[in-house]
Amino acid sequence: MAEDCIFCKIIKGEIPSARVYEDDKMIAINDVAPAAPVHVLLLPKEHTRDITTADAELVAYMLSKVKMIAEKTGIAEKGFRIVINTGDDGGQTVKHLHIHLIGGKVLGWPPC
Ligand code: AMP
């Protein structure tokens, strides 16, 4: 856990969140500022800054849950997008690895 990390505080329950899924390694919560009708964040319980610092097995584990969470939130059939913003140029504002799962509408591309 990192002292001043907002996602660590959410994981510890110090900041409230709408949890979509939880297990021993990760949680999935609704994004507080959704970019689409469904916008879920998958967070590892163990603090790690981003995909360049994360254990590859942990990333693979989180990705293995995407299909199930997409089904649970009703976006699996029509399609969705997963995004891992990384570093300042990548638009990462919270320095705790997270996977955005976004769907529920036709999404634009490119994102910039
Ligand atoms: P990123 O810009 O990729 O680092 O994404 C950080 C995401 O965290 C943004 O989509 C924010 O809306 C979201 N966020 C920030 N604070 C909270 C919070 N307390 N609960 C849920 N989502 C949050």
Side-chain angles (χ1 to χ4, degrees), residues 63-82:
L63 288 171
S64 79
K65 299 297 177 186
V66 165
K67 179 184 174 200
M68 176 271 293
I69 295 170
E71 286 171 350
K72 196 170 181 178
T73 54
I75 59 173
E77 199 172 315
K78 292 192 87 176
F80 55 85
R81 183 173 297 158
I82 55 173

Side-chain angles (χ1 to χ4, degrees), residues 6-7 10 15 29-33 39 41 85 91-94 98 100:
I6 191 168
F7 286 171
I10 286 173
I15 293 176
I29 62 170
N30 286 323
D31 195 294
V32 76
H39 188 165
L41 301 173
N85 293 327
Q92 183 181 10
T93 58
V94 179
H98 50 284
H100 296 258

